[in-house]
Amino acid sequence: MEYRIEKDTMGEVKVPADCLWGAQTQRSLEHFRIGTEKIPAPVIRAFAYLKKAAAMANAELVPQKMTPQKRELLETVCDEILEGKLDGAFPLSVWQTGSGTQSNMNVNEVISHRAAALNPGLPLHPNDDVNLSQSSNDTFPSAMYIAAVTETQGRLIPALDTLLATLDRLSRENDDVVKGGRTHLQDAVPIRFSQEVAGWAGLLRVDREQILSSQKGLYRLALGGTAVGTGLNAPEGFAALAARKVAVLTGYPFETNPNKFQALTGKSELVFAHGALKGLAADLMKIANDVRWLASGPRNGLGEIRIPENEPGSSIMPGKVNPTQCEAVTMVAAQVMGNDATVGFAASQGNFELNVFMPVLIYNYLQSVRLLTDAMTSFEGNCIRGIVPDRERMKENLNRSLMLVTCLNPYIGYEKAAKVAKTAYAQQITLREACLKLGYLSGEEFDRVFRPEDMTGGALPDSDQPSKEKK
């Protein structure tokens, strides 16, 4: 392998000749050979937005330093990063300095070297130009929040909306199907299948609302606080102007955090936002479990719905098919819940003027977003979309349910109704037979009041699709 010599303030470093990074990136590669987890690509894209916005702001505030030519060149390279043209130039591990300094410098060095290749006569220094008016201590947390917002709202919310639309369709198409309800895994009063599915959709709508609400704190950027929150070496007005530029570039309402000291050391906004992701994970766990319970069987389980048969389920039992999409969703949910513990602990480690657990914070947050997004997309396309209710099995189970006796309460009272249910169960007869045997109602009276289809209440909740506009 051929090398070139790069220099930084600590001396010379050998860097592979075909790589765009410089000395500080190479030092990090050599000193942090830990794990396989890399700084996520959305963080690098967020840095590209941030560096481009900073160059725009600097061009207005300190044009003698950020000339139009330098700004244009820097923006060109940032656009290449956003287009994915330089993806191989960002190799650093999550397990590096807790401030993310080395990743900030990785971006600075790549922009500098790529700019030199595009225009050798107009050098961009990684610190003096690309990092102008900035510090790793305010750029990395800002890139974290930009990445969190763009990935959550740009990827997760659309996947959630697609799943919601499919659940709404499934609910509308089965409003005439009455089945037995269940509480405590025991028989309960009847419910329409459409209502059961509407309950699932309702869970996800609440999650959607909470996720979008939790994003508001992530709009406030640390950019402009520089090293410790004082804004040292940044021109007056840089923080607010750079945040506005980020907002324009991304399409999200980013703004400057008025308290840079809090912005550098506190990460509770990310804890709050991840908590909403954990809420989504919890509800997806519940829905996936409901689906696999209802699909259990095919002969010795509940068997009330049929789900798509995507692949063989056993290497030894021929013909077996398992609820594998449900299993994937529940494993993702477990991972997200574990990530939440990491996010919470890491956010608590803000010592004095800086939190130094930032790479692991954003790694876990973005992993949760990615896993939830992919799991919902897979679950919707490979399971929920193909659910078919077994109407005969639902009817059969409904008619065997002793809890239909609840409709007799207004006519014979709770205690007599309980006696009917216990008698029917003990003697293995129908509720009608038990009621007549006990002399509580005549056959005609029983038939008039015993109507399971009338026990399911009113109309479905409003299932209009939520707005997909950015909040």
Side-chain angles (χ1 to χ4, degrees):
M1 181 181 292
E2 294 185 1
Y3 292 91
R4 69 176 189 273
I5 300 299
E6 289 283 334
K7 296 180 180 180
D8 60 13
T9 58
M10 297 184 69
E12 295 183 345
V13 179
K14 289 172 61 178
V15 176
D18 60 346
C19 292
L20 285 175
W21 60 75
Q24 292 197 46
T25 303
Q26 189 64 32
R27 291 185 191 279
S28 183
L29 281 172
E30 293 174 1
H31 296 156
F32 296 95
R33 302 184 185 202
I34 304 172
T36 59
E37 297 82 6
K38 305 301 181 186
I39 293 295
V43 175
I44 303 302
R45 290 194 293 271
F47 262 115
Y49 282 126
L50 185 153
K51 298 295 178 180
K52 187 174 181 178
M56 292 176 173
N58 281 321
E60 293 185 29
L61 298 173
V62 283
Q64 70 278 15
K65 293 183 177 180
M66 183 58 65
T67 64
Q69 294 80 12
K70 286 185 175 182
R71 188 207 72 196
E72 183 178 353
L73 183 56
L74 199 155
E75 289 183 25
T76 297
V77 180
C78 287
D79 288 340
E80 289 188 346
I81 295 173
L82 291 170
E83 292 165 9
K85 294 180 178 179
L86 306 180
D87 284 352
F90 306 101
L92 295 190
S93 172
V94 169
W95 320 110
Q96 56 165 282
T97 172
S99 63
T101 298
Q102 290 147 11
S103 282
N104 180 44
M105 287 306 303
N106 181 198
V107 174
N108 291 340
E109 290 176 345
V110 168
I111 292 174
S112 176
H113 282 85
R114 178 57 181 159
L118 293 174
N119 189 343
L122 184 63
L124 289 180
H125 191 278
N127 297 86
D128 296 335
D129 295 312
V130 186
N131 205 59
L132 181 62
S133 307
Q134 305 155 57
S135 162
S136 298
N137 294 353
D138 67 348
T139 58
F140 198 89
S142 298
M144 287 170 57
Y145 284 15
I146 294 168
V149 167
T150 55
E151 289 296 291
T152 301
Q153 298 186 47
R155 296 190 69 239
L156 183 140
I157 293 298
L160 179 52
D161 286 343
T162 299
L163 178 56
L164 275 168
T166 300
L167 288 172
D168 287 340
R169 175 191 58 76
L170 183 64
S171 180
R172 288 193 305 270
E173 291 175 354
N174 293 283
D175 196 37
D176 61 329
V177 182
V178 179
K179 63 184 292 292
R182 295 179 179 88
T183 59
H184 303 268
L185 294 181
Q186 303 295 307
D187 299 344
V189 296
I191 189 172
R192 281 178 281 162
F193 184 52
S194 59
Q195 294 170 323
E196 193 163 47
V197 176
W200 298 341
L203 293 173
L204 298 183
R205 281 201 166 81
V206 171
D207 295 327
R208 187 186 194 278
E209 179 183 349
Q210 291 174 342
I211 289 169
L212 288 176
S213 177
S214 75
Q215 297 288 288
K216 295 175 183 177
L218 301 178
Y219 294 143
R220 297 191 293 269
L221 300 182
L223 190 59
T226 65
V228 294
T230 61
L232 180 67
N233 291 350
E236 185 176 355
F238 174 81
L241 181 58
R244 289 199 297 271
K245 299 294 186 183
V246 171
V248 171
L249 292 172
T250 63
Y252 294 95
F254 290 105
E255 60 185 4
T256 190
N257 189 322
N259 188 331
K260 299 298 185 296
F261 307 103
Q262 179 272 330
L264 267 61
T265 195
K267 297 293 171 282
S268 59
E269 300 95 342
L270 207 66
V271 176
F272 184 55
H274 196 278
L277 298 181
K278 182 174 72 170
L280 173 60
D283 286 336
L284 286 171
M285 174 81 82
K286 178 265 191 298
I287 293 168
N289 280 332
D290 280 0
V291 169
R292 61 178 170 179
W293 271 106
L294 291 173
S296 61
R299 292 188 173 178
N300 293 331
L302 297 180
E304 292 191 345
I305 63 174
R306 294 190 296 275
I307 58 177
E309 299 182 352
N310 296 321
E311 65 276 319
S314 173
S315 61
I316 189 174
M317 293 176 280
K320 195 173 193 300
V321 179
N322 296 328
T324 51
Q325 289 295 316
C326 299
E327 292 162 6
V329 169
T330 54
M331 285 191 288
V332 163
Q335 181 65 50
V336 172
M337 292 174 190
N339 286 351
D340 193 70
T342 298
V343 168
F345 182 81
S348 74
Q349 300 303 298
N351 302 116
F352 302 112
E353 278 66 61
L354 187 67
N355 179 289
V356 291
F357 281 64
M358 289 192 286
V360 74
L361 266 166
I362 193 59
Y363 178 84
N364 278 270
Y365 183 94
L366 292 177
Q367 185 191 61
S368 292
V369 169
R370 183 178 71 252
L371 290 177
L372 288 169
T373 298
D374 292 349
M376 287 189 293
T377 299
S378 182
F379 193 39
E380 186 276 331
N382 298 311
C383 183
I384 298 296
R385 191 184 302 177
I387 287 177
V388 177
D390 188 329
R391 295 177 176 230
E392 289 302 314
R393 186 64 172 265
M394 287 181 175
K395 183 177 180 180
E396 178 186 346
N397 288 343
L398 173 67
N399 290 336
R400 287 207 310 264
S401 174
L402 296 174
M403 291 305 99
L404 296 178
V405 76
T406 306
C407 69
L408 302 181
N409 287 1
Y411 304 98
I412 63 175
Y414 180 92
E415 292 188 4
K416 288 183 178 179
K419 185 68 177 294
V420 170
K422 292 177 182 294
T423 300
Y425 180 68
Q427 299 183 19
Q428 293 297 296
I429 58 178
T430 68
L431 291 172
R432 188 179 192 278
E433 290 169 337
C435 195
L436 268 61
K437 187 172 185 177
L438 293 168
Y440 294 153
L441 290 173
S442 68
E444 181 179 344
E445 290 171 328
F446 184 93
D447 293 340
R448 186 176 68 253
V449 301
F450 189 82
R451 297 178 59 83
E453 63 273 17
D454 294 340
M455 299 172 65
T456 61
L460 288 170
D462 182 13
S463 61
D464 290 341
Q465 284 298 290
S467 169
K468 295 183 181 180
E469 295 178 0
K470 295 171 184 173
K471 303 297 180 182

